[in-house]
Amino acid sequence: MKITEHIKKAKERSLFSFEILPPLKGQNIQSIYDGIDPLMEFRPAFIDVTYHREEYVFNDQGNGLLQKKIVRKRPGTVGICAAIQSKYGVDAVPHILCGGFNKEDTENFLIDLDFLGIQNVMALRGDAVKSEIYFTPEKDGNHFAKDLVEQIGGMNRGKYLDEVMEKGHNTDFCVGVAGYPEKHMEAPSLDKDIKRLKEKVDAGAAYVVTQMFFDNQKYFEFVEKCKVHGITVPIIPGLKPIATKRQLSVIPHRFHVDMPEELIREVEKCKDNKEVREVGVEWGIYQSKELIAAGVPVLHYYSMGKSTNIQKIAKAVF
């Protein structure tokens, strides 16, 4: 079922969903199941599976020269999505990136998803590789998430890259995109960022999932600004419970989001990370209840492969 259909069927009841990481190369899928099993009692409407682009490593050849090698540390997104839908009967949403794919790679990726009966995809530009300061698209690849949404929309109309083929099978993907209540790190302003989001929606995106935030007012203001810009698709809030003291500096640096002063004070009082996790759970419960009271379509949690905190929050909320 499409994400938009899940939302419509819920009839204004807030749904539960979460995001997982593929395991590191060399590990098996049991770690995925171990993270999903405790959350199944809350009947997730869908489960997102991230995609991690290639990284460059440099191996010392022993003669003063370095050999550049491309590696993918977390492969398996498509297989995990198929396994989730088969084992749990829950819609899986694979992330698909511009970075690391040319348009033909993207088309083949989407064909595989279509064969597997996967109806939903999350279209993202993706980050720059660690050796780059700014994102560089692949040769013959999509430059922006909007371009990726347009390619998916083309396939939904039977348009493929092969110009000889007059018309192909119409896929039927429901496309989600990312939104940033505190703006994307590369955007000059929030208004400019929302205009870019409107372009993605106009290109065919059917729903938005936000970057994590810790101040619900940022989300509410973002939704109102989106309405002013003519964005009417569902905007799903993304939440992540803080779990370690180190995240007070890591999360703002990596994700460019602010922490409320009250949350910072409570975390700083903690003697150890066990106490921090409890603060994170309580803050997550507070955020979740307020968002549900406001009528959000879905609460989407970034689990990062660990379900204990999410489970505690969901028990208090759903």
Side-chain angles (χ1 to χ4, degrees):
M1 189 186 300
K2 294 179 180 180
I3 304 307
T4 49
E5 292 172 341
H6 278 291
I7 293 170
K8 185 176 181 180
K9 188 177 177 182
K11 297 179 180 178
E12 299 184 358
R13 174 177 59 87
S14 298
L15 300 171
F16 169 73
S17 68
F18 58 95
E19 179 178 298
I20 61 172
L21 303 172
L24 287 167
K25 185 183 290 187
Q27 297 179 358
N28 67 15
I29 201 170
Q30 188 57 47
S31 62
I32 295 293
Y33 297 153
D34 291 343
I36 292 174
D37 287 344
L39 301 177
M40 285 306 297
E41 65 175 295
F42 309 110
R43 301 175 66 185
F46 58 92
I47 300 170
D48 272 34
V49 183
T50 64
Y51 192 99
H52 288 251
R53 65 171 300 176
E54 79 285 354
E55 294 182 19
Y56 299 133
V57 296
F58 294 89
N59 297 325
D60 189 347
Q61 293 184 291
N63 56 2
L65 298 176
L66 297 175
Q67 181 184 37
K68 183 179 179 180
K69 183 180 179 183
I70 298 174
V71 296
R72 293 187 187 272
K73 293 187 176 180
R74 292 184 181 271
T77 295
V78 175
I80 291 167
C81 286
I84 287 172
Q85 294 201 165
S86 175
K87 181 177 174 65
Y88 297 102
V90 174
D91 284 303
V93 184
H95 290 195
I96 182 167
L97 310 179
C98 297
F101 289 85
N102 61 38
K103 290 180 182 179
E104 186 174 2
D105 294 332
T106 296
E107 182 172 276
N108 291 336
F109 188 92
L110 292 164
I111 288 170
D112 285 345
L113 296 178
D114 185 53
F115 288 163
L116 290 166
I118 292 170
Q119 291 186 295
N120 302 284
V121 293
M122 189 74 180
L124 306 166
R125 189 200 69 176
D127 298 326
V129 295
K130 291 180 181 179
S131 59
E132 297 174 342
I133 298 175
Y134 298 107
F135 174 83
T136 302
E138 289 292 301
K139 182 182 178 182
D140 299 323
N142 292 304
H143 288 221
F144 302 103
K146 174 181 72 72
D147 304 325
L148 182 53
V149 174
E150 288 175 346
Q151 182 176 0
I152 299 167
M155 289 181 66
N156 282 349
R157 298 187 299 274
K159 181 182 177 183
Y160 290 73
L161 296 174
D162 188 346
E163 296 179 358
V164 177
M165 184 171 60
E166 291 186 7
K167 191 174 188 307
H169 158 71
N170 288 33
T171 56
D172 192 24
F173 291 112
C174 177
V175 185
V177 293
Y180 298 85
E182 298 173 67
K183 89 173 185 63
H184 190 278
M185 68 181 78
E186 296 174 19
S189 70
L190 181 57
D191 279 344
K192 191 70 174 178
D193 199 29
I194 291 175
K195 288 178 182 177
R196 292 286 175 261
L197 178 59
K198 179 64 162 58
E199 290 175 1
K200 292 189 282 188
V201 172
D202 289 345
Y207 68 98
V208 176
V209 180
T210 75
Q211 173 64 280
M212 70 179 75
F213 57 89
F214 296 88
D215 180 350
N216 286 349
Q217 193 59 35
K218 299 279 180 69
Y219 168 81
F220 295 137
E221 291 171 359
F222 176 69
V223 170
E224 288 306 311
K225 286 187 176 183
C226 286
K227 288 179 182 177
V228 170
H229 284 80
I231 298 171
T232 58
V233 299
I235 300 178
I236 297 170
L239 300 176
K240 174 179 169 52
I242 193 167
T244 67
K245 278 195 174 185
R246 185 169 177 266
Q247 287 176 337
L248 284 182
S249 58
V250 170
I251 289 176
H253 173 71
R254 186 172 297 171
F255 299 101
H256 297 261
V257 299
D258 289 337
M259 297 277 190
E261 287 298 324
E262 183 181 352
L263 177 59
I264 294 170
R265 286 196 299 270
E266 291 303 311
V267 171
E268 288 179 337
K269 289 179 189 176
C270 295
K271 298 174 184 176
D272 53 33
N273 284 337
K274 182 178 179 182
E275 290 187 3
V276 174
R277 284 192 291 273
E278 290 306 312
V279 169
V281 167
E282 289 303 314
W283 193 267
I285 291 170
Y286 155 72
Q287 278 195 275
S288 299
K289 286 184 175 180
E290 185 176 53
L291 290 164
I292 287 175
V296 299
V298 185
L299 285 177
H300 186 70
Y301 296 92
Y302 297 110
S303 74
M304 308 301 286
K306 299 175 182 178
S307 57
T308 305
N309 292 3
I310 311 298
Q311 184 183 25
K312 289 180 179 178
I313 293 170
K315 275 188 179 293
V317 173
F318 289 96

